[in-house]
Amino acid sequence: MVDYHAANNQSSAGGVQTYMEQENDWDRDMLLDPAWEKQQRKTFTAWCNSHLRKAGTQIENIEEDFRDGLKLMLLLEVISGERLPKPERGKMRVHKINNVNKALDFIASKGVKLVSIGAEEIVDGNAKMTLGMIWTIILRFAIQDISVEETSAKEGLLLWCQRKTAPYKNVNVQNFHISWKDGLAFNALIHRHRPDLIDYDSLRKDDPVTNLNNAFEVAEKHLDIPKMLDAEDIVNTARPDEKAIMTYVSSFYHAFSGAQKAETAANRICKVLAVNQENEQMMEDYEKLASDLLEWIRRTIPWLENRTQEKTVNDMQAKQEDFRDYRCVHKPPKVQEKCQLEISFNTLQTKLRLSNRPAFMPSEGRMVSDINGAWHTLEGAEKGYEEWILSEIRRLERLEHLAEKFHQKAAIHESWTDGKEAMLTQKDYETSTLSEVKALLRKHEAFESDLAAHQDRVEQIAAIAQELNELDYYDSASVNARCQKICDQWDVLGALTQRRKDSLERTEKQLESIDELYLEYAKRAAPFNNWMEGAMEDLQDMFIVHNIEEIQGLITAHEQFKSTLPEANKEREAIQSIQAEVQKIAQSNGIKLTGANPYTTITPESIDKKWEKAMAMVPLRDTALQEELNKQNSNDSLRAKFATQANAVGAYIQDKMEEIGRISIEMNGTLEDQLTHLKDYQKTIMTYMPEINKLEGFHQHIQEALIFDNQYTSYTMEHLRVGWEQLLTTIARTINEVENQILTRDAKGISQEQLYEYRASFNHFDKGDGEFARIMSIVDPNGTGAVTFQAFIDFMSRETTDTDTADQVIASFKILAADKNFILADELRRELPPDQAEYCIARMAPYMGPDAIPGALDYMSFSTALYGESDL
């Protein structure tokens, strides 16, 4: 079997992730077929055992034997040649989960994105997830590093199979399922490399089981490729499992090596032809990615500009949660796409220059500058949307507080007015004695005092209703209706009060005397009772604060209120002493009191009851205020935590931005050393990501606590996010610039010493003679007056080195044509991939030389045209 160690270290993390994501998306559907699952079990088990046997062990049941994670870690160590962290030997579930997580972390460290695969599913013996995980390992360590010409992984393996089996009859490999059902493709692969092992002409297409078993037995006996498939399963399945076939075929690829001279020549032609195809594909990819990104921005901005108001704080907080989800989930991939778009554009332009092709000009409106402009508009919309959400939450909080306060005061007032109209309209004075009339008059005076005392509450109710209207409260209609009803009733009570007063005053001359103590009691009890009601109302009043100063102000006011309680208690005792004096006089003079105080409905018992109730409310108010103080202290602690982390992160980002600027200017050593240094530096930067996530956590706590200001820092989360994204983008751009220089150096055959010499020439470039004008016309065709080092390298490489030329391509075609001056279509189809063979046939002119034969094609003029000034 093949050693994957060296290949693993050369794989591209980005390419692995992209390809693996495509395979995983497809895998979620494919694993549902029982026949495919059976094939995968057998194939994946055999593949695992082919490596585990090197460590002296094997597995029997793929979903059971990997549950404790031990053999899974051993398998990864064998195929990677690296040591994994020491496994845990315990038998508990947590030990198994920890072992599997170590294995999954190692896979992820190789650039593989595991989709929907968690340690718990593997430990629970989930067959689907276990097979998916093994398939991910096979892709990464057995298939991904396969490279054939300009293709890799699955496509490279398929191209390799097509090239190797092209000369064989009845073999047409187009995929990794039905193209292998008859077994001829397996036998053709073996025969192409080891003709002594297979008598291919004796095989029949109508006997697939024999063909398959023959290939499997020969591979196992002579090529050390274990039998991973079952012939009957493949034949009896309408569409064999693609993963199982790919796994088995990859073993053939790694078992065979070497290439023939014709393949080398064909590779050169394929490389030249692939330049146009690859460039065209990159242009299409750029256009699509730019179009998709601009479309996403176009669809997102209206959502961010939507200012539809909600009715409640909860509804607005739901919008805030949606915005947070957009910021943390939906936007980051688009940031990566934007960065990748710029990198792809720069790489494409570099490849076009290296292949002597015209520069790429994107469609109108899809330039990098257009995308940056749209992105700037998007970020402006984000900022406005976030500010609007916060202001709306404050407005709705204020509205809810005012609405609750309105209904509370309205309920108290309505309770007080209940029955007052009936009392004011009665005509009891018409049948009362003189003393009773006088009592009624005094009682009415006390009521007027009470009525005046309630005037302030009515005005407060009206003022709150007005403020609710000004703040656009959603239920203003019902508030206005209730407020109007209260005002109308208040006017009626005023009119009735005046009318009753007039009636009583008409009989006042008939009144003689009245018990002064009753009158005094009534006059003092009414305001005191009203004071108690006001005090209880204040003690029950809800409050909302946003900082420590505000709650301390409320606590100070409450303490001042408590300081008045001794004097209030003295007043209560004085009022009660009046009633006691009444009782004393009545008892001493033998007066029988037949009813309550005629001047007031406020009884000593009600005063004591309200007093006790008010006193019980004081400690409750103390507790509520203290709890709010604790909450504000906690909020202040959250502000300090966020500020400390934000200040550290802000300083870190600023230092790293300055540092990457110096690194890009002061880099020494070879380009590979510079690239390695930059990538190591990039990894170092990414290790700071937990600090960013930690800051995001603090920020989320800040928002959940509805904290809207922070006096401890000038940084906002938005500023730090933008700074972090700019830092990552700057590093990626710097790495891309070095990669393009390497690409230029390798394509042009420039040595490291020549690059240093070019740099020195570039730094000392003079404007002193006519030769300068000629050079400037080449490196600066647009006359901008600025010359980049990349353009200078292209000029110097054209002056001093050679690239692939028309003569070299003609020589390669001559090899394929067996030294003839022309080539036949069948020869092209035999030696080149189908699409590139047809590409040549469609563009080659008929050969007209003296030695021409029917169907002869002129490859010389075709090769020359590849390097002409016009596109093919």
Side-chain angles (χ1 to χ4, degrees):
M1 296 301 291
V2 69
D3 183 2
Y4 300 107
H5 302 173
N8 291 336
N9 295 329
Q10 300 172 359
S11 64
S12 169
V16 170
Q17 181 169 334
T18 302
Y19 179 70
M20 301 292 280
E21 289 174 353
Q22 295 172 353
E23 286 297 310
N24 284 330
D25 289 341
W26 172 66
D27 182 63
R28 284 193 288 271
D29 298 325
M30 299 297 280
L31 279 179
L32 297 176
D33 188 288
W36 288 337
E37 182 176 335
K38 178 182 177 184
Q39 293 175 22
Q40 287 183 17
R41 285 176 183 271
K42 179 178 179 64
T43 302
F44 293 178
T45 300
W47 185 86
C48 292
N49 285 333
S50 71
H51 297 286
L52 288 172
R53 69 185 182 185
K54 299 175 185 177
T57 186
Q58 65 178 12
I59 61 171
E60 298 294 333
N61 188 314
I62 196 165
E63 66 261 35
E64 290 293 331
D65 294 348
F66 284 142
R67 290 180 62 181
D68 61 4
L70 297 177
K71 289 188 177 180
L72 178 59
M73 296 178 69
L74 181 60
L75 174 64
L76 291 171
E77 290 185 341
V78 170
I79 64 178
S80 68
E82 299 179 24
R83 295 293 296 175
L84 272 69
K86 184 177 180 181
E88 299 180 12
R89 297 293 178 178
K91 300 294 184 179
M92 297 176 65
R93 175 179 175 86
V94 66
H95 298 141
K96 299 178 181 179
I97 291 176
N98 289 341
N99 288 338
V100 175
N101 272 327
K102 291 177 181 178
L104 296 180
D105 290 342
F106 178 79
I107 297 172
S109 72
K110 297 301 179 182
V112 179
K113 182 178 181 182
L114 297 170
V115 180
S116 303
I117 298 177
E120 290 80 5
E121 288 85 356
I122 305 303
V123 172
D124 292 338
N126 187 310
K128 172 181 176 181
M129 294 302 173
T130 302
L131 293 175
M133 176 190 66
I134 298 302
W135 173 239
T136 301
I137 294 173
I138 293 171
L139 275 177
R140 173 60 184 83
F141 294 98
I143 296 177
Q144 180 60 35
D145 295 322
I146 294 175
S147 178
V148 178
E149 298 171 14
E150 299 298 326
T151 61
S152 61
K154 176 182 175 182
E155 291 76 17
L157 183 60
L158 182 61
L159 177 59
W160 179 78
C161 294
Q162 292 171 339
R163 296 291 297 276
K164 295 298 181 181
T165 61
Y168 291 88
K169 64 179 181 180
N170 296 326
V171 177
N172 181 18
V173 178
Q174 297 297 325
N175 50 55
F176 287 109
H177 36 84
I178 59 176
S179 293
W180 303 82
K181 283 191 67 174
D182 58 13
L184 293 178
F186 290 111
N187 285 278
L189 280 179
I190 297 174
H191 186 267
R192 179 65 183 266
H193 297 87
R194 292 289 303 277
D196 57 308
L197 298 180
I198 297 289
D199 182 8
Y200 185 84
D201 292 334
S202 66
L203 301 176
R204 302 198 328 270
K205 185 175 180 63
D206 59 354
D207 190 7
V209 174
T210 299
N211 298 339
L212 290 166
N213 284 326
N214 179 64
F216 297 164
E217 291 168 3
V218 169
E220 186 173 35
K221 182 176 180 181
H222 298 283
L223 303 178
D224 197 27
I225 299 175
K227 185 178 180 182
M228 300 183 185
L229 301 171
D230 187 271
E232 286 74 18
D233 289 344
I234 295 176
V235 172
N236 295 331
T237 304
R239 184 176 186 270
D241 179 65
E242 187 176 45
K243 296 180 180 63
I245 298 294
M246 283 179 65
T247 302
Y248 189 53
V249 171
S250 69
S251 298
F252 284 90
Y253 173 89
H254 293 295
F256 298 129
S257 62
Q260 300 175 356
K261 181 179 180 181
E263 290 180 326
T264 302
N267 287 343
R268 176 180 288 275
I269 296 173
C270 291
K271 181 178 178 181
V272 173
L273 295 176
V275 168
N276 279 0
Q277 295 173 316
E278 181 180 2
N279 290 343
E280 291 170 1
Q281 185 60 47
M282 289 185 70
M283 293 176 190
E284 293 175 3
D285 292 344
Y286 174 88
E287 291 283 346
K288 184 178 186 304
L289 185 57
S291 177
D292 292 346
L293 185 57
L294 287 170
E295 176 61 18
W296 177 80
I297 294 174
R298 185 191 66 77
R299 287 186 283 103
T300 303
I301 288 178
W303 175 68
L304 294 173
E305 293 177 343
N306 182 14
R307 296 296 186 269
T308 302
Q309 294 181 337
E310 299 295 343
K311 295 180 178 179
T312 66
V313 173
N314 289 338
D315 291 340
M316 282 307 300
Q317 287 176 336
K319 279 194 172 182
Q320 186 181 46
E321 187 63 31
D322 291 342
F323 180 73
R324 185 181 296 117
D325 186 68
Y326 154 83
R327 182 71 65 74
C328 299
V329 178
H330 299 293
K331 185 184 176 184
K334 299 303 177 181
V335 174
Q336 186 177 1
E337 288 180 13
K338 178 176 176 290
C339 179
Q340 184 60 41
L341 192 68
E342 295 179 10
I343 293 174
S344 298
F345 181 84
N346 294 334
T347 302
L348 174 59
Q349 299 293 36
T350 299
K351 289 190 174 184
L352 289 172
R353 286 196 305 271
L354 295 176
S355 59
N356 297 323
R357 301 299 194 270
F360 170 57
M361 181 61 65
S363 302
E364 183 178 357
R366 296 180 183 173
M367 293 291 291
V368 172
S369 59
D370 298 324
I371 294 171
N372 287 335
W375 192 264
H376 180 73
T377 303
L378 174 72
E379 291 182 332
E382 279 183 19
K383 185 175 184 298
Y385 189 68
E386 185 173 31
E387 292 174 350
W388 174 75
I389 287 177
L390 293 177
S391 66
E392 276 298 290
I393 290 176
R394 294 191 190 101
R395 184 182 70 85
L396 291 173
E397 282 183 338
R398 175 65 177 164
L399 282 175
E400 289 185 359
H401 172 68
L402 288 174
E404 182 65 24
K405 192 171 184 178
F406 170 85
H407 290 299
Q408 183 184 58
K409 287 183 176 295
I412 293 173
H413 177 77
E414 289 166 348
S415 175
W416 179 83
T417 60
D418 184 38
K420 294 297 187 292
E421 289 187 27
M423 181 195 72
L424 293 172
T425 55
Q426 64 183 339
K427 297 182 179 181
D428 50 343
Y429 54 85
E430 294 179 351
T431 58
S432 298
T433 64
L434 184 60
S435 60
E436 289 172 343
V437 170
K438 284 184 174 288
L440 290 175
L441 183 59
R442 300 297 184 271
K443 181 179 179 181
H444 188 73
E445 291 175 354
F447 173 77
E448 284 183 313
S449 177
D450 199 13
L451 185 69
H454 281 78
Q455 175 69 33
D456 182 62
R457 182 180 289 114
V458 174
E459 292 174 355
Q460 290 177 5
I461 291 172
I464 294 173
Q466 178 64 29
E467 188 172 359
L468 287 171
N469 280 278
E470 292 172 354
L471 293 177
D472 196 21
Y473 181 55
Y474 78 96
D475 198 21
S476 294
S478 63
V479 169
N480 292 337
R482 190 172 188 181
C483 180
Q484 187 61 47
K485 181 179 179 182
I486 290 172
C487 291
D488 293 342
Q489 185 185 36
W490 187 254
D491 293 337
V492 171
L493 287 178
L496 292 177
T497 299
Q498 186 61 41
R499 187 183 306 165
R500 181 170 177 81
K501 181 180 179 181
D502 294 340
S503 299
L504 290 173
E505 286 178 345
R506 285 194 298 267
T507 61
E508 186 177 10
K509 59 182 179 181
Q510 302 172 1
L511 301 179
E512 293 253 343
S513 76
I514 192 167
D515 191 342
E516 294 296 333
L517 290 174
Y518 266 133
L519 182 57
E520 182 181 357
Y521 175 91
K523 288 183 177 181
R524 295 181 69 174
F528 183 75
N529 182 71
N530 189 62
W531 175 86
M532 286 194 298
E533 288 181 348
M536 288 189 291
E537 183 178 339
D538 291 340
L539 289 171
Q540 297 178 82
D541 189 21
M542 297 190 311
F543 54 84
I544 179 168
V545 296
H546 296 93
N547 53 55
I548 295 176
E549 290 74 15
E550 292 178 1
I551 187 61
Q552 287 177 341
L554 291 178
I555 291 174
T556 300
H558 183 62
E559 292 299 324
Q560 292 175 350
F561 164 75
K562 290 196 296 184
S563 68
T564 65
L565 292 180
E567 284 298 324
N569 189 43
K570 290 180 180 179
E571 176 65 12
R572 180 185 67 86
E573 291 174 349
I575 293 172
Q576 297 293 51
S577 67
I578 294 174
Q579 182 65 22
E581 184 66 20
V582 169
Q583 297 293 338
K584 180 179 178 181
I585 292 173
Q587 291 175 1
S588 62
N589 294 282
I591 299 172
K592 185 177 181 181
L593 300 177
T594 59
N597 190 323
Y599 302 109
T600 182
T601 59
I602 302 172
T603 65
E605 292 78 11
S606 68
I607 291 177
D608 286 341
K609 185 175 180 181
K610 288 182 181 179
W611 177 261
E612 291 172 359
K613 185 176 180 181
M615 293 304 99
M617 291 179 181
V618 171
L620 296 179
R621 185 70 168 185
D622 288 333
T623 301
L625 291 172
Q626 186 60 43
E627 289 175 351
E628 183 62 29
L629 178 62
N630 295 339
K631 175 184 175 184
Q632 291 303 322
N633 285 328
S634 174
N635 288 353
D636 205 56
S637 175
L638 288 177
R639 291 187 182 95
K641 286 183 180 179
F642 175 83
T644 300
Q645 185 70 5
N647 291 335
V649 170
Y652 177 86
I653 291 174
Q654 182 175 356
D655 290 346
K656 294 306 175 182
M657 286 297 290
E658 296 173 356
E659 190 174 287
I660 189 60
R662 294 195 300 271
I663 290 174
S664 64
I665 295 174
E666 301 171 359
M667 287 189 298
N668 296 316
T670 66
L671 292 177
E672 285 78 4
D673 292 340
Q674 296 176 21
L675 182 61
T676 300
H677 177 65
L678 284 171
K679 288 186 176 180
D680 291 342
Y681 185 78
Q682 186 183 45
K683 292 178 182 178
T684 301
I685 293 298
M686 290 310 296
T687 61
Y688 198 71
M689 192 65 193
E691 297 301 318
I692 302 297
N693 294 335
K694 181 179 178 182
L695 183 62
E696 288 285 2
F698 288 158
H699 180 61
Q700 183 174 352
H701 293 158
I702 286 284
Q703 290 192 326
E704 289 172 352
L706 300 178
I707 299 172
F708 305 110
D709 55 358
N710 194 334
Q711 69 273 26
Y712 299 120
T713 181
S714 61
Y715 289 109
T716 66
M717 196 65 233
E718 176 60 27
H719 293 156
L720 294 176
R721 289 193 189 105
V722 172
W724 180 250
E725 292 169 1
Q726 289 176 345
L727 176 61
L728 297 183
T729 301
T730 300
I731 296 173
R733 287 174 178 167
T734 306
I735 291 174
N736 180 245
E737 289 175 1
V738 176
E739 289 174 339
N740 285 340
Q741 291 183 31
I742 292 174
L743 183 61
T744 301
R745 182 200 65 192
D746 294 344
K748 300 297 185 177
I750 303 172
S751 68
Q752 190 67 40
E753 292 74 12
Q754 285 176 306
L755 275 177
Y756 290 148
E757 182 180 347
Y758 291 169
R759 172 61 74 177
S761 299
F762 180 77
N763 291 338
H764 297 86
F765 199 41
D766 197 3
K767 299 183 179 180
D769 53 24
E771 178 64 13
F772 170 77
R774 182 187 72 84
I775 296 175
M776 284 299 292
S777 67
I778 297 174
V779 298
D780 184 23
N782 296 325
T784 62
V787 181
T788 66
F789 183 55
Q790 183 63 48
F792 187 74
I793 290 177
D794 292 343
F795 165 75
M796 292 297 292
S797 62
R798 286 198 296 272
E799 295 288 317
T800 59
T801 61
D802 290 330
T803 59
D804 287 336
T805 65
D807 291 340
Q808 290 175 323
V809 177
I810 290 172
S812 297
F813 272 117
K814 196 164 187 176
I815 292 173
L816 300 186
D819 291 331
K820 298 191 296 294
N821 291 327
F822 57 85
I823 193 167
L824 300 176
D826 289 342
E827 290 174 328
L828 289 171
R829 291 190 177 100
R830 182 178 67 248
E831 297 300 340
L832 298 182
D835 60 333
Q836 294 186 340
E838 298 303 326
Y839 182 88
C840 294
I841 292 170
R843 288 161 175 76
M844 283 185 180
Y847 176 70
M848 306 303 293
D851 53 344
I853 64 174
L857 300 174
D858 186 354
Y859 61 76
M860 295 185 183
S861 61
F862 171 77
S863 300
T864 302
L866 283 176
Y867 292 88
E869 296 190 1
S870 61
D871 291 332
L872 290 178

